[in-house]
Amino acid sequence: MAVRSFQARLLYLLIAILVLLDAGTLISVYYAGQQTLRCTVANELLLGSRVLNRILDTRAQQLSDSLRVLALDFAFREAIASADVPTITSVLANHGSRIAADAVVLVNLDGTVIADTLGGRLSKKPFPFAAMLRTAQDRGEASATVSFANRPYQFAIVPVLAPRPIAWVCAGFEIDNRVLTDVQRLTNLEISIWSSGGGSQLAPDDSRYATLLQALPTGDGSRVNALLARNLEEAQIPFRNLELQIFALSTIVLIVAVFAAVVFARSVSQPLRVLAEGAGRVERGDYVTPIVVQQEDEIGSLATAFNQMQSAIATREDEIRFQATHDALTGLPNRTLFLDRLSYAIAGAKRNGPSVGIIMMDVDRFKEINDTLGHQVGDQLLIEIGRRLEHTLRQSDTVARLGGDEFAVMFMAPTFRHAEEVAARLEGAFDLPIVLGDVSVDVNASLGIALYPAHADDAGTLMRHADIAMYDAKREHSGVAVYEPGRDEHTLRRLSLIMDLRQAIARDELELYFQPKADVRSERVGHAEALVRWNHPQHGVMRPDEFIPLAEQSGKISLITKWVIRKAIAQCAAWRREGLDLAIAVNLSALDLFDSELPTFISGLLSDAGLPPASIVLEITESAVMKDAAFAQKVLADLKRRGVCLAIDDFGTGYSSLAHLKRLPVDELKIDKSFVLNLTEAATDDLVIVRSTIELGHNMGLIVIAEGVETAESWQILKRLGCDMAQGYFMTKPLPADAFKAWLRASRWAAG
């Protein structure tokens, strides 16, 4: 009886659910269809509005282009110069006929109409659209929609140049049925357009239509309206057909589903009861009594799985508990267990116990070891480090691997001195090299110390502060650092930026800006320096000095440098195809000079782009070369043999000797901007330094470039001193590629 009752309830429930689902589906389809209809119609109206605006913009541009042809006509300009009104009127009429303009007007510079094609109706009167004329005077030309003779018109104004403006020529098209027909043909909408005093063809409140009333922007402050309408009955036809099809299909599906529910209820109820009883036994801890279901379908498989689960749960519970709290590689406690133990120790310390200390430890150069010797050796190294740390500390202390090459140690610390002694023992664990097979590896680590309650009141904050101290030790190469209060905000921002920097290239957040280098004698631009910017999603556009040091610290500088070189060479090739013959300079980091594959990488890119090696200039600082002069000279010599131009950047701020500078295979010398920014005849110290540097560079056969040129006076001084090239805001600030190209073509600095 109980089985039949459960079966009946299950059947009723399934049928009720099916009916509700079917009804809900039909209701949802109906309301979704109505919503989709409204959205579709609204989108069609918005699309129609955009199409109308685009057609009007296109007509305005065509009109402006046609007027520029007239404005450039020599005979027309001569007629204007001689004030030959009949000839002017004839030319306006002829040109207006060719371009099918409804009105053509010539306006004097003071805003008075000289001649028109309207029978002289506007002649010798002020131009009726003064605002448009002012816009044209400000921008060089203007176009706008206006109300003219109570009809909507498009007017355009362009100057007549000889070579300065001597008059303004204006033409207008009436926005008539030809425009509306184009919009209707493209959008299937009905449209009306009228100006103040006119009327519309469709009433905005007609219930048969969905409408959009749009006020077109005008150049004279008048009101020009456009009314777009969509016939709702036509729009509803496909939705009604779809609703009928869905209703018929859902009815058939419901009938089939009810039949299937009856069969399903009968087959499920009995074995489910058996499974429920078996699950209850498992819940009570009975892992011995099997579940017996005489079926070979999915429920039978489920019963078998239950039986297998019972036999495995007991052993897996211990295994899972261990895996959840220990590191799989080293067997040390993981972050979760370490945090639990730290929290427990702090709770004990609050009851008059000793202070609790932790040390966060990160293995230096672990990525290099991993990349050079392989991940298998890296894993063995981590295992050996964990073993040494355990043997170094007391049994009551906790050593944990938090992830990667990061370890943590917790201990009772009665005093700061005790914590320093623990850190010293940990450093001593790396005194001897670690031998892994045939490889001997020297390992160092950076350690950060934080104590409870001196540095934090809870476990999570204490770990974070120790982590901050560890990064301070790594950055300062001090080995060990104690947490200093107030470092959180700065360090968290740095850590956040380092994490974001890993994804910046993949997310295409980097962008190249370009600043010109001009030849001082010819005042023409032949070079440009590529400067990377980071379009950070939260912090906006970031300059290189904000993130390049972080990239160097995190080992990501090589990726950024290669991205910049790749983009710079591609941009150089693109400009050459467009007729801009520019060499592009790229800055190298000190770490880039340790990449022996860099010359091959650059040569390959230049070859693929079809560019000569001299198209790229690599700028390096004196201090970068001095980090490892022998290796740097080797890489620079390789680049020089391949024909790449080299430049010493920020000259004057480093500490290299002139003898060392003479041995470098460089072509250019850039005077640091600190000597050029305030360069005047009165600034005798800067003047002497700049003059001496120019003479030194020329005596060494180098091209001398001054960066930081911001005034005409400093430009003239550099010209007098014989400087070869200059760079700075006097020409322009760094610009994106498209803006740089536009600036160069429009400026006096363009090569010609």
Side-chain angles (χ1 to χ4, degrees):
M1 184 67 180
V3 174
R4 288 196 297 270
S5 177
F6 170 75
Q7 177 180 329
R9 289 198 302 271
L10 179 60
L11 180 59
Y12 296 152
L13 176 62
L14 291 174
I15 293 175
I17 291 174
L18 291 171
V19 171
L20 288 175
L21 286 175
D22 191 56
T25 300
L26 294 176
I27 294 172
S28 299
V29 167
Y30 173 78
Y31 283 105
Q34 294 299 311
Q35 181 66 26
T36 303
L37 173 63
R38 288 192 293 270
C39 292
T40 300
V41 171
N43 289 336
E44 289 181 1
L45 292 173
L46 290 175
L47 177 61
S49 173
R50 290 195 290 268
V51 169
L52 174 61
N53 291 335
R54 179 60 61 86
I55 289 176
L56 293 179
D57 291 343
T58 302
R59 294 178 80 247
Q61 185 61 46
Q62 292 173 346
L63 181 56
S64 297
D65 293 342
S66 300
L67 284 178
R68 279 193 288 272
V69 174
L70 174 60
L72 293 173
D73 186 83
F74 180 79
F76 180 55
R77 288 184 289 180
E78 279 196 332
I80 295 173
S82 62
D84 188 353
V85 175
T87 301
I88 293 172
T89 303
S90 175
V91 173
L92 293 178
N94 290 337
H95 192 75
S97 176
R98 285 197 300 272
I99 65 175
D102 298 295
V104 187
V105 180
L106 182 68
V107 184
N108 208 338
L109 294 179
D110 61 1
T112 304
V113 176
I114 299 174
D116 61 52
T117 60
L118 302 172
R121 182 172 27 167
L122 301 179
S123 182
K124 298 182 180 180
K125 296 179 181 179
F127 185 65
F129 309 116
M132 280 187 64
L133 189 58
R134 287 194 297 272
T135 301
Q137 292 169 346
D138 293 338
R139 300 180 180 176
E141 65 178 42
S143 62
T145 301
V146 299
S147 177
F148 185 68
N150 287 332
R151 297 292 297 167
Y153 272 72
Q154 278 185 284
F155 270 81
I157 303 175
V158 299
V160 181
L161 304 175
R164 294 185 176 181
I166 60 174
W168 300 91
V169 60
C170 171
F173 287 99
E174 181 181 354
I175 304 176
D176 52 15
N177 288 332
R178 289 174 297 175
V179 179
L180 305 185
T181 300
D182 288 341
V183 179
Q184 291 170 347
R185 177 174 52 82
L186 293 171
T187 64
N188 293 325
L189 298 177
E190 298 183 36
I191 182 170
S192 298
I193 190 167
W194 70 96
S195 61
S196 301
S200 65
Q201 298 174 355
L202 293 171
D205 59 349
D206 191 337
S207 61
R208 297 173 301 165
Y209 294 88
T211 60
L212 174 64
L213 182 61
Q214 177 184 358
L216 299 179
T218 62
D220 60 345
S222 62
R223 184 174 181 82
V224 175
N225 298 314
L227 181 67
L228 298 95
R230 180 70 165 99
N231 191 310
L232 293 177
E233 294 181 357
E234 293 179 0
Q236 287 178 343
I237 292 175
F239 292 93
R240 290 175 179 171
N241 292 337
L242 179 61
E243 290 171 359
L244 291 175
Q245 293 173 3
I246 293 175
F247 177 79
L249 181 61
S250 63
T251 302
I252 296 172
V253 171
L254 178 61
I255 294 172
V256 174
V258 169
F259 178 79
V262 174
V263 176
F264 176 77
R266 292 176 178 175
S267 63
V268 167
S269 58
Q270 177 61 30
L272 282 180
R273 182 178 63 82
V274 176
L275 288 173
E277 293 175 354
R281 291 195 301 272
V282 172
E283 181 183 8
R284 293 188 295 270
D286 182 1
Y287 303 136
V288 178
T289 305
I291 298 173
V292 180
V293 174
Q294 301 298 330
Q295 289 184 224
E296 296 183 358
D297 54 8
E298 288 82 356
I299 295 179
S301 300
L302 181 59
T304 302
F306 261 106
N307 292 328
Q308 294 172 349
M309 179 183 67
Q310 288 180 168
S311 62
I313 283 179
T315 55
R316 289 183 181 176
E317 280 183 348
D318 293 337
E319 185 178 330
I320 290 172
R321 189 178 298 111
F322 182 86
Q323 290 177 349
T325 56
H326 289 76
D327 175 53
L329 178 64
T330 62
L332 296 174
N334 62 11
R335 182 182 294 271
T336 301
L337 182 56
F338 182 81
L339 187 61
D340 287 343
R341 291 185 179 179
L342 180 59
S343 299
Y344 182 79
I346 290 175
K350 289 180 179 179
R351 298 189 296 270
N352 300 321
S355 297
V356 180
I358 66 169
I359 295 177
M360 302 292 282
M361 189 190 82
D362 185 83
V363 180
D364 295 338
R365 302 185 301 107
F366 180 74
K367 183 179 184 302
E368 297 178 23
I369 296 172
N370 231 5
D371 293 343
T372 304
L373 303 179
H375 291 281
Q376 184 176 0
V377 174
D379 289 345
Q380 294 175 359
L381 177 63
L382 293 174
I383 294 172
E384 177 60 21
I385 289 174
R387 188 190 65 79
R388 288 195 179 189
L389 294 179
E390 281 189 304
H391 284 241
T392 300
L393 300 174
R394 299 173 303 182
Q395 191 172 4
S396 59
D397 299 333
T398 296
V399 180
R401 182 189 176 213
L402 305 185
D405 59 333
E406 189 174 14
F407 294 82
V409 176
M410 182 192 73
F411 50 90
M412 295 297 107
T415 63
F416 272 99
R417 182 175 181 81
H418 180 79
E420 292 173 349
E421 291 174 354
V422 173
R425 291 204 303 272
L426 292 177
E427 283 191 300
F430 301 105
D431 288 344
L432 296 177
I434 296 177
V435 179
L436 304 173
D438 298 331
V439 179
S440 177
V441 181
D442 288 319
V443 177
N444 294 309
S446 299
L447 287 72
I449 303 173
L451 301 179
Y452 165 86
H455 297 143
D457 293 330
D458 61 88
T461 305
L462 191 65
M463 288 182 66
R464 188 172 75 250
H465 288 175
D467 203 46
I468 291 172
M470 182 266 291
Y471 274 103
D472 286 342
K474 183 176 288 291
R475 184 178 64 256
E476 297 168 4
H477 304 288
S478 60
V480 180
V482 179
Y483 172 73
E484 297 179 9
R487 297 287 295 169
D488 299 57
E489 182 177 349
H490 173 71
T491 302
L492 289 176
R493 173 181 165 86
R494 289 179 63 257
L495 292 176
S496 175
L497 288 177
I498 289 174
M499 295 296 294
D500 293 344
L501 194 59
R502 296 176 181 176
Q503 304 297 326
I505 296 177
R507 295 173 180 167
D508 198 25
E509 294 175 358
L510 299 183
E511 180 181 4
L512 282 189
Y513 280 50
F514 297 88
Q515 188 173 35
K517 297 180 183 178
D519 185 277
V520 176
R521 289 194 185 89
S522 65
E523 298 190 356
R524 293 293 183 265
V525 173
H527 292 236
E529 182 174 358
L531 302 168
V532 66
R533 298 291 188 268
W534 182 6
N535 295 316
H536 194 280
Q538 283 80 40
H539 304 300
V541 178
M542 298 179 64
R543 297 171 58 84
D545 53 5
E546 296 182 75
F547 62 90
I548 291 299
L550 300 180
E552 292 177 334
Q553 294 173 19
S554 62
K556 301 299 179 184
I557 189 62
S558 177
L559 294 177
I560 294 179
T561 299
K562 289 182 178 180
W563 181 91
V564 171
I565 293 174
R566 187 182 296 108
K567 291 290 185 180
I569 290 176
Q571 186 62 67
C572 182
W575 279 342
R576 289 210 173 195
R577 290 192 295 270
E578 297 172 5
L580 293 178
D581 187 5
L582 296 175
I584 296 183
V586 174
N587 290 287
L588 292 186
S589 164
L591 298 179
D592 294 323
L593 297 181
F594 293 95
D595 184 0
S596 59
E597 299 298 323
L598 184 64
T600 303
F601 172 77
I602 295 175
S603 294
L605 291 177
L606 290 170
S607 177
D608 293 342
L611 293 175
S615 300
I616 192 79
V617 180
L618 301 179
E619 297 185 359
I620 52 177
T621 61
E622 298 174 87
S623 57
V625 177
M626 293 301 293
K627 286 185 180 294
D628 189 337
F631 194 89
Q633 287 183 13
K634 190 175 180 181
V635 173
L636 294 177
D638 192 358
L639 289 166
K640 184 66 176 178
R641 284 194 299 271
R642 297 170 188 264
V644 177
C645 292
L646 302 174
I648 288 292
D649 195 10
D650 299 337
F651 183 77
T653 60
Y655 301 97
S656 61
S657 66
L658 294 179
H660 176 71
L661 177 63
K662 186 177 181 180
R663 289 195 296 269
L664 294 178
V666 296
D667 307 280
E668 299 177 359
L669 195 67
K670 290 189 72 174
I671 305 174
D672 186 70
K673 63 182 178 182
S674 61
F675 305 116
V676 182
L677 283 173
N678 300 312
L679 183 63
T680 62
E681 296 291 349
T684 55
D685 291 341
D686 289 342
L687 193 60
V688 169
I689 292 174
V690 172
R691 178 189 294 111
S692 301
T693 305
I694 292 174
E695 292 176 355
L696 171 66
H698 287 166
N699 290 336
M700 297 179 68
L702 303 178
I703 296 172
V704 181
I705 305 169
E707 60 178 343
V709 181
E710 296 192 354
T711 65
E713 181 181 1
S714 59
W715 174 273
Q716 293 301 325
I717 292 174
L718 292 169
K719 191 171 187 177
R720 175 170 58 81
L721 295 178
C723 187
D724 299 298
M725 286 192 287
Q727 174 183 353
Y729 278 28
F730 179 64
M731 283 75 77
T732 181
K733 64 180 181 180
L735 299 170
D738 292 340
F740 177 85
K741 182 177 67 175
W743 170 85
L744 184 59
R745 287 182 167 171
S747 72
R748 69 182 180 89
W749 304 95

